[in-house]
Amino acid sequence: MFGSLRIHNYRLYASGQIISLVGVWMQRIAQDWLVLELSNGSPVALGFAAALQFLPVLVLSMWGGVLADRMDKRKLLLWLESALGICALALGLLDVLGIVQLWHVYLLCLLLGAFSAVETPVRQSFVVEMVGRESLTNAVALNSMMFNLARIIGPAIAGVAIVAIGTGWVFLANAISFVGVVLGVWLMRTRELMPSEPVPREKGQLLSGLRYVRGRPDLLTVMLLVFFIATFGMNFYMTLAIMARNVFGGDADAYGLLSTLIAVGTLAGATWAARRKTPRMSVFIGSGVVFGLLEIVSGFMPTMLLTGLMMIPVGIAMMTFNTTANATIQLAVEPEMRGRVMGIYMLVFLGGNPVGGPLMGWIGEINGRAPIIIGGLVSVLVTVTAWIILVRRGDIGKPRLRRQKVVEVSPAELQPADR
């Protein structure tokens, strides 16, 4: 389960990531709560903030993939992680000094989203350079385990910290946490990395990535399904805040509790995924259906406690879906296209939020339970449709994996140094 941690560079990466991710999740909870406080509890304002944070994905994520294919991913990560930390520092200082306004939060959401849109495909495509193809599925699952362990710890700390010391100090703590990930990347042994050959700068590289995905029906089906479920079914940053405050009348600690419980489920789902060596399309489709059904049920729960308990199996299904999709995409592409394809993948995974966030916020104004129920219905419908398409094409089963060409050489052909 923890095989990738035997690799020195990945251990450095993982240790820095877990520290930073705890801070990121603390900031997410604090940022959502700050928006609600500054807007007098408006779900539309919360949805607009989410839209601004994810809007840059529409423009920059594919360019981030192009940069990942052209440049040294390690150096890019050092600059991008530093920029993300500066954004958290700015928001923290504004809040602690008592001068923060809603437009400040909106502006920093936009900047944070811009840096994240470029950083995510670079970071995602860098994993295989640390661990190699054989350990990629395990490393992707371990990344999800770290993400969701932080998702348990971060909201739990944030919920208490917001009440005790305020949102501003939470933002400052997140800014400090980025030191961990920057140091982890900085201290890596570069000679042990397995970088792909940089792609020369040419015109049309972005369009070539789009044409590549369009010509691969297996990749296209996975990405379309991820787009609809992520856009309408995975808006928990907003739906749980609305449920906690507007449906059950809770405080920031109630929102933190719901976020922690869904993280317990996603951590369990990532742990299960770490045991699988090869992603299977049948698992991908099945987890999408189960996720949607469980989400519908959770939306009808009469109390906050029951809603929170339902978040555990919802999280398991969601993480099984996400890790299977990510590993399927990365293993199915050629190394020289991986950055651009992951840029497109992050576009479809996050790019629907500028539409889904405000739409679900508007629906939440009418009925606080409706967004999570509608998200579940959309997830079930699109997954069943994808399943029908895949069955007709005969693609249910193991995904088509791309293998690097191996050239066999006899011992007599080797030079003494090669032996």
Side-chain angles (χ1 to χ4, degrees):
M1 187 190 305
F2 302 101
S4 296
L5 292 176
R6 290 194 296 265
I7 300 168
H8 173 79
N9 285 337
Y10 185 78
R11 284 199 305 273
L12 286 174
Y13 170 83
S15 59
Q17 277 290 308
I18 190 64
I19 295 170
S20 179
L21 286 170
V22 169
V24 167
W25 275 108
M26 290 173 62
Q27 169 148 336
R28 287 191 181 186
I29 301 299
Q31 179 179 288
D32 291 346
W33 203 257
L34 179 62
V35 169
L36 287 174
E37 285 186 339
L38 294 175
S39 65
N40 296 316
S42 170
V44 172
L46 186 59
F48 184 63
L52 287 174
Q53 188 162 334
F54 291 111
L55 186 63
V57 174
L58 299 175
V59 181
L60 298 176
S61 64
M62 289 193 295
W63 284 110
V66 172
L67 290 176
D69 285 335
R70 285 180 183 174
M71 302 175 65
D72 186 321
K73 298 179 184 64
R74 175 176 166 272
K75 292 180 180 178
L76 273 174
L77 280 178
L78 287 172
W79 287 105
L80 292 167
E81 297 290 353
S82 300
L84 290 170
I86 292 171
C87 288
L89 177 64
L91 183 56
L93 290 175
L94 288 170
D95 198 359
V96 167
L97 294 174
I99 58 176
V100 67
Q101 298 180 34
L102 192 57
W103 73 267
H104 292 148
V105 183
Y106 287 159
L107 176 61
L108 285 165
C109 281
L110 186 63
L111 289 174
L112 186 68
F115 290 121
S116 295
V118 179
E119 183 265 351
T120 303
V122 175
R123 173 169 44 83
Q124 293 277 345
S125 57
F126 183 58
V127 174
V128 72
E129 297 189 2
M130 289 184 285
V131 302
R133 289 179 60 85
E134 294 77 11
S135 299
L136 177 62
T137 302
N138 177 255
V140 168
L142 289 181
N143 288 348
S144 297
M145 289 175 66
M146 290 186 291
F147 181 83
N148 290 286
L149 182 61
R151 195 174 184 176
I152 294 173
I153 299 171
I157 296 174
V160 175
I162 291 170
V163 175
I165 59 176
T167 53
W169 292 104
V170 175
F171 300 137
L172 293 178
N174 180 41
I176 296 172
S177 75
F178 276 97
V179 175
V181 69
V182 171
L183 280 176
V185 176
W186 177 266
L187 294 173
M188 285 183 181
R189 299 171 183 167
T190 55
R191 66 183 181 277
E192 295 180 9
L193 294 172
M194 295 165 277
S196 57
E197 192 69 23
V199 177
R201 182 186 180 92
E202 296 176 356
K203 291 184 177 180
Q205 288 178 324
L206 183 63
L207 292 177
S208 68
L210 291 170
R211 286 194 294 267
Y212 178 80
V213 172
R214 187 182 62 183
R216 290 284 302 277
D218 55 336
L219 298 181
L220 192 59
T221 301
V222 171
M223 288 194 179
L224 286 174
L225 186 52
V226 167
F227 170 78
F228 281 102
I229 292 184
T231 299
F232 299 102
M234 296 183 185
N235 289 304
F236 295 112
Y237 62 89
M238 182 182 64
T239 55
L240 294 184
I242 295 172
M243 293 280 283
R245 189 182 192 279
N246 296 358
V247 176
F248 298 120
D251 208 334
D253 53 352
Y255 176 33
L257 175 63
L258 290 179
S259 298
T260 299
L261 287 172
I262 194 172
V264 171
T266 51
L267 178 61
T271 303
W272 179 43
R275 296 178 178 272
R276 296 195 305 271
K277 293 184 178 180
T278 304
R280 298 185 65 89
M281 192 64 71
S282 56
V283 174
F284 174 65
I285 293 295
S287 59
V289 173
V290 172
F291 167 75
L293 292 174
L294 290 172
E295 192 174 21
I296 293 169
V297 174
S298 68
F300 286 102
M301 290 293 103
T303 66
M304 189 178 72
L305 177 60
L306 290 175
T307 301
L309 292 176
M310 277 301 303
M311 288 297 105
I312 297 176
V314 167
I316 293 174
M318 180 175 71
M319 190 46 55
T320 302
F321 177 85
N322 288 344
T323 54
T324 306
N326 190 304
T328 298
I329 293 292
Q330 292 214 53
L331 287 173
V333 301
E334 285 81 1
E336 65 272 13
M337 295 297 300
R338 186 173 289 116
R340 278 166 284 181
V341 172
M342 289 309 296
I344 298 170
Y345 174 77
M346 297 315 302
L347 171 64
V348 301
F349 187 72
L350 299 173
N353 282 278
V355 176
L359 177 61
M360 290 302 180
W362 174 73
I363 293 173
E365 291 270 19
I366 301 171
N367 186 303
R369 296 178 180 273
I372 197 168
I373 296 171
I374 293 174
L377 287 171
V378 171
S379 299
V380 172
L381 289 174
V382 297
T383 307
V384 170
T385 302
W387 175 76
I388 294 171
I389 294 172
L390 290 170
V391 167
R392 289 181 176 177
R393 290 211 319 255
D395 285 343
I396 291 293
K398 289 186 178 181
R400 180 172 50 151
L401 304 183
R402 292 287 184 182
R403 302 295 185 189
Q404 293 187 15
K405 183 166 66 176
V406 177
V407 179
E408 294 185 1
V409 181
S410 66
E413 295 177 285
L414 295 175
Q415 296 296 323
D418 296 326
R419 295 197 189 98

